[in-house]
Structures are given as C-alpha cells and as structure tokens.
C-alpha cells in the first residue's frame, strides 16, 4: 500500500518536460519534491504566482509570498506575480498543461466531487471548479477508500460535483486508474497489492486487460 | 494631479452603511485591508454583504466582522479556515454564496472593466450552474455569470501615492488588483504613501483613476496563516 509520499512520487512520473503544472492542496503539493531529473517544469499557484520554489529557510518567510494553500513559499529565477483574474485567465485558456488535485469521490465517467458534504462540511470549491473545467489533463491524487472503508471510486458520485467528465487519471494508495470512454481501466497496482484486493476495494467496475504490472516507486 | 488622499481610516470609511455590498481584497490573510477591517469592527455597521475570496480566520480579517455578526451574506470561493463561519453558515444565521475562484475574480474584473456578463466553463454541470443560462462555444459548455455590483471596494497595496496609483507586492496582488475600481467607491490602504512623482509610471499596477480614497495604514500585522519553512543543510 502506498504512503502519501509514494502517491506523490508516482504522480511525479507523469510530469513531462516544459509542463506548466498546478498543484492542489494536500498530496498534490508533495509532487513538487519528486520532479524527474532532466526535465524543466514550472509550478503555477492560482493565487497569482508562476515559478514557485521551495519553502523558505526559517526566518526568511514573507507574508506577501504564499501559495494557494496559504503556505509561505519562495520563487525561482524567472518567476512572476499576477492578479487572480489573469491567473484564472491562464488556467481557462489552457496555458497550464496539468492539474493535480485531491478528491472525495471520482466516478467512472470522470466526474469529480471535492468541495462539499451537504449538512456537514462546506469548505468551498476554491479554484477547483475553474481548474477541472479548463485543464486538458487532470490527475486526481486520493485515497481509494474512506475512513469507513467505503470505496471513493464510484459508478456515480453521490456528493455535489466539482466538475463533469474531466478526470483523466487517478492515483491511489492501491492503484493507478485511467478513465476511458468505457470506464475505469486498471493500469498498475501498488507493490504487494493483488488485483482481487483492488476489485474488492472499488465500487465501480474495472476494465482489466492482461497482467497488471506493479508500480515502480523509487 | 487629482488628490485621493484622506488623512485617517475613519475618513476613508465615510458613507459605509448598513445593508451595503462591499468587496474586500486579499487571499487568505495575504494582502487583506486589515486597517479598514479593524475600523469597521469598531462601527455598528451591520447587515453587510461581503465579496471576498475567503472569510478570514476566527480572530483576524473578516472573521472579526463575523464574530460581531456584522455580516449578513458572504460571497466567497473558499471558507475552510474559519470555524465560526462554518457554524453560522450551517445554522443558517449567515447567508453564503460559494462561487468558483476564477469566476469570483472575473466577476470583479468585469465590474472593473464595464462588462456586464461573461461565459465561463467553470461550474458547468454542478449546482453552481443552477438557474443560469448555458451556451455552447467551440464544442464546450459554458454558463453565464454577471459582473458584481458593489457599493465599496476595499483594497490593500504595498505602495501608493496621493493620485491613487497603486503598486502591489508578491502574491498580495491577488484580488486587490481585480477589485480596484470595481465598485462605486474604491478605498485603498497602503503600507507606504509616497510623494507624487516617486512611483515610476511604468511600474504602476493600478492607475489612480480606479481609486477614490487612499491612506497609509497605521500598522500592518500581516499575519501568516501557514508558516512553512525548510531546514538549512
């Protein structure tokens, strides 16, 4: 079973040279720690920065330089700041190549729910609705089952939607899934996890073709 | 030069009354007009509709206005950092309209730009789209959103001058830049009010015509919400 860091490492393998990438809060933020060697990527944060760098050294935090998770950050050479309208302008006009975000539920047609549990929890959608409605390539980082052991990979989402038919790939602690026109296709399994285990943990149907390889995480 | 300078925060908030709609710049606690918010908390102004990406935290920013129940309605995109907000919302005391962040920004920018409405793909197929006009452009579905109509916009900048010109710093530009000039009256509080002629016209982010009142804030706490650091090797 993958740790959160492992999920981030596996997703980092999806980064390609010259990609502009937007990382959501939580596991997606960790992806920045595992950029494959030899490629150039730039991270965009929707509160208005492109060319985000690592966290500052202690004592060098600047309240005016944060990411969308409200964390203090630094910038790299070539970075730029801009306002929220332009930030979402570059998202809607598809300048950002890849969006990686978390989810509460994903369905087999690529719907995603991640902003509201009616009557219980309402944090808001933040920039997620704009990102998922606009990005060409969306990868979801999430746990396969919730705390009650129920599958979050569903035939149909039960929670209010964030976007429809938009998710391309899901990486969980158990598996890598691709969303195809026919539904979830199992691409890889976590080291030591059987296909049967994944089927039993998934409410949606899975397309399984041939031997399913184990993920490579280093 | 047409002067926009007011001498005090009290003078800056003249005319803000019950039931008005007010825009507040900032993202999280970054770049919020903290002096003006603190002054509004001292007044009895209530029943406000506030347009702001977030709602502050329990004891800072708009959270202070919430605690005093001065806010009737919040229009925001993300409110997850504020327990009192969540309590008032779930109990029905506070009316809340949650909208996608890019739509929030564009509804401000449209008001600033004199554009009454626009189409965006954000929220199509979700409850955000309920009751809104839907149109297909280039094979993709979009929903119609309207420019905000607000009585006041309150923004915070790093530097400004008496003419109302503004310069922002870092990610504190965020919604401040989109809200300046997006309401009938824009109030700008700045960390440093510099003499006219000092700012390079090439480097000004918001021209003074968008600002009606400007003053230098007395003090800026600039609280950090998530202090994240790395160790030196």
């Amino acid at each position: 079973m993958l740790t959160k860091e492992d999920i981030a490492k596996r997703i980092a393998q999806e980064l390609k040279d010259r990609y502009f990438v937007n990382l959501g809060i939580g596991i997606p933020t960790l992806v920045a720690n595992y950029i494959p060697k030899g490629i150039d990527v730039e991270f965009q944060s929707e509160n208005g920065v492109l060319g985000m760098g690592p966290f500052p050294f202690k004592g060098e935090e600047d309240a005016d330089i944060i990411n969308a998770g409200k964390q203090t950050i630094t910038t790299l050479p070539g970075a730029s700041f801009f306002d929220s309208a332009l930030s979402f302008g570059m998202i809607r006009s598809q300048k950002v190549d890849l969006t990686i975000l978390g989810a509460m539920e994903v369905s087999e047609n690529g719907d995603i729910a991640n902003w509201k549990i009616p009557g219980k929890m309402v944090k808001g959608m933040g920039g997620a609705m704009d990102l998922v409605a606009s990005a060409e390539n969306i990868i979801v980082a999430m746990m396969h089952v919730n705390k009650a052991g129920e599958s979050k990979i569903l035939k149909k989402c039960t929670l209010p939607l964030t976007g429809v038919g938009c998710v391309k790939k899901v990486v969980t602690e158990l598996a890598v899934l691709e969303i195809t026109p026919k539904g979830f296709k199992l691409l890889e399994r976590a080291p030591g996890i059987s296909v049967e285990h994944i089927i039993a943990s998934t409410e949606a149907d899975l397309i399984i073709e041939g031997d399913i390889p184990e993920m490579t995480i280093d | 030069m047409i002067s926009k300078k007011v001498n005090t925060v009290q003078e800056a908030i003249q005319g803000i009354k019950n039931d008005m709609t007010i825009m507040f710049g900032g993202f999280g606690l970054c770049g919020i007009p903290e002096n003006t918010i603190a002054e509004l908390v001292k007044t009895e102004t209530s029943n406000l509709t506030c347009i702001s990406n977030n709602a502050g935290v329990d004891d800072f920013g708009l959270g202070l206005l919430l605690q005093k129940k001065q806010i009737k309605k919040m229009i925001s995109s993300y409110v997850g950092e504020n327990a009192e907000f969540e309590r008032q919302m779930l109990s029905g005391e506070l009316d809340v309209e949650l909208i996608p962040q890019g739509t929030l920004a564009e509804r401000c920018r449209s008001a600033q730009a004199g554009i009454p409405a626009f189409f965006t793909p954000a929220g199509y197929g979700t409850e955000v789209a309920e009751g809104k006009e839907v149109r297909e452009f280039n094979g993709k579905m979009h929903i119609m959103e309207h420019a905000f109509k607000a009585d006041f916009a309150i923004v915070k900048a790093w530097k400004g001058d008496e003419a109302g010109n503004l310069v922002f710093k870092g990610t504190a530009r965020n919604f401040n830049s989109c809200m300046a000039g997006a309401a009938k009256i824009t109030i700008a509080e700045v960390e440093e009010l510099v003499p006219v002629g000092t700012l390079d016209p090439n480097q000004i982010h918001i021209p003074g015509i968008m600002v009606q009142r400007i003053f230098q804030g007395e003090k800026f706490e600039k609280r950090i919400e998530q202090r994240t650091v790395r160790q030196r090797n």
Side-chain angles (χ1 to χ4, degrees):
Chain A
M1 200 172 294
L2 300 189
T3 62
K4 287 178 176 176
E5 284 73 20
D6 289 337
I7 294 174
K9 282 183 192 171
R10 176 59 191 81
I11 291 176
Q13 295 171 19
E14 306 286 325
L15 300 177
K16 296 203 168 61
D17 193 29
R18 303 180 74 78
Y19 261 17
F20 292 102
V21 183
N22 180 287
L23 301 177
I25 296 164
I27 300 173
T29 305
L30 302 172
V31 172
N33 299 332
Y34 307 109
I35 306 167
K37 286 200 170 56
I39 69 167
D40 291 322
V41 296
E42 281 188 26
F43 293 107
Q44 193 254 18
S45 199
E46 64 269 24
N47 58 315
V49 54
L50 187 63
M52 214 186 341
F55 294 145
F57 290 120
K58 199 169 190 306
E60 292 179 3
E61 312 93 282
D62 184 338
D64 289 330
I65 302 180
I66 64 167
N67 64 17
K70 287 107 181 176
Q71 298 171 311
T72 45
I73 55 157
T74 59
T75 54
L76 297 173
S80 54
F81 297 115
F82 34 85
D83 67 54
S84 301
L86 184 57
S87 182
F88 282 93
M90 63 184 76
I91 288 166
R92 282 191 305 266
S93 66
Q94 301 185 332
K95 306 291 188 295
V96 176
D97 299 288
L98 174 64
T99 289
I100 302 169
L101 77 172
M104 296 173 191
E105 295 177 344
V106 172
S107 74
E108 61 192 18
N109 66 332
D111 293 354
I112 175 173
N114 75 352
W115 70 284
K116 182 179 185 182
I117 304 173
K120 280 190 187 163
M121 185 286 288
V122 188
K123 292 192 183 299
M125 64 290 280
M129 282 194 183
D130 311 88
L131 282 157
V132 300
S134 308
E136 282 285 323
N137 195 357
I138 298 167
I139 300 177
V140 167
M142 67 189 290
M143 302 313 278
H144 211 99
V145 294
N146 65 20
K147 283 175 188 145
E150 297 158 341
S151 173
K152 296 160 73 170
I153 310 290
L154 305 170
K155 288 192 175 75
K156 196 172 187 306
C157 291
T158 63
L159 296 171
L161 296 179
T162 307
V164 292
C166 52
V167 178
K168 298 291 188 291
K169 219 173 238 185
V170 181
V171 180
T172 75
E173 77 279 21
L174 302 179
V176 179
L177 304 166
E178 184 186 356
I179 291 168
T180 72
K182 290 177 180 168
F184 286 109
K185 183 177 178 184
L186 180 59
L187 295 185
E188 298 172 22
R189 54 197 172 79
I193 299 293
S194 67
V195 170
E196 291 69 30
H197 182 149
I198 296 166
I199 294 172
S201 305
T202 309
E203 192 256 0
D205 293 327
L206 292 174
I207 300 165
I208 298 167
E209 290 171 356
D211 285 339
I212 305 300
E214 276 193 1
M215 298 176 211
T216 317
I217 311 275
D218 35 51
Chain B
M1 190 269 299
I2 300 173
S3 175
K4 314 294 170 50
K5 188 181 166 194
V6 293
N7 290 312
T8 61
V9 63
Q10 290 83 4
E11 202 179 325
I13 65 164
Q14 283 297 311
I16 296 184
K17 296 193 176 72
N18 295 350
D19 303 302
M20 280 188 164
T21 297
I22 306 178
M23 294 176 163
F24 291 88
F27 182 97
L29 301 179
C30 180
I32 60 171
E34 49 181 281
N35 288 278
T36 313
I37 292 171
E39 192 58 32
L40 283 172
V41 173
K42 290 183 199 161
T43 70
E44 295 304 314
T45 316
S46 66
N47 259 1
L48 297 173
T49 294
C50 297
I51 300 166
S52 170
N53 188 56
N54 312 87
V57 294
D58 283 320
D59 62 345
F60 199 59
L62 291 183
L64 297 170
L65 283 171
L66 278 167
Q67 267 184 18
K68 272 195 69 194
K69 309 244 168 84
Q70 290 172 279
I71 302 178
K72 174 183 67 176
K73 181 177 182 181
M74 279 296 312
I75 301 174
S76 303
S77 88
Y78 188 82
V79 293
E81 321 298 344
N82 191 317
E84 172 64 12
F85 182 101
E86 199 159 10
R87 192 197 65 71
Q88 287 188 21
M89 173 169 60
L90 292 173
S91 71
E93 292 164 55
L94 180 69
D95 188 8
V96 177
E97 186 181 343
L98 287 168
I99 58 181
Q101 194 177 130
T103 299
L104 182 73
E106 195 63 16
R107 289 179 70 184
C108 295
R109 199 199 69 87
S110 299
Q112 184 190 53
I115 301 284
F118 60 92
F119 283 88
T120 175
Y124 171 73
T126 75
E127 62 182 56
V128 164
E130 283 169 15
K132 291 174 184 163
E133 184 181 337
V134 174
R135 278 180 72 176
E136 185 181 327
F137 295 95
N138 306 319
K140 189 167 177 170
M141 303 310 282
H142 294 73
I143 59 178
M144 188 167 75
E145 297 282 1
H146 290 87
F148 282 123
K149 287 191 177 120
D151 298 293
F152 281 84
I154 305 175
V155 304
K156 185 259 166 181
W158 178 40
K159 290 181 181 177
D161 64 18
E162 199 172 334
N165 295 308
L166 302 179
V167 176
F168 304 99
K169 174 172 159 271
T171 53
R173 195 183 315 186
N174 56 55
F175 285 86
N176 288 303
S177 175
C178 314
M179 290 176 173
K184 287 176 200 155
I185 295 173
T186 295
I187 302 168
E189 65 171 69
V190 297
E191 287 181 53
E192 197 183 344
L193 192 64
V194 301
V196 163
T198 319
L199 297 173
D200 177 354
N202 289 301
Q203 306 295 330
I204 286 166
H205 293 135
I206 289 291
I209 194 169
M210 306 308 249
V211 174
Q212 281 69 49
R213 302 173 189 173
I214 189 166
F215 71 101
Q216 182 171 307
E218 196 173 298
K219 73 176 176 70
F220 287 89
E221 183 180 339
K222 301 221 276 185
R223 199 185 288 190
I224 291 174
E225 222 165 319
Q226 305 282 340
R227 189 179 294 274
T228 44
V229 295
R230 71 188 143 130
Q231 299 301 321
R232 283 176 203 277
N233 288 328

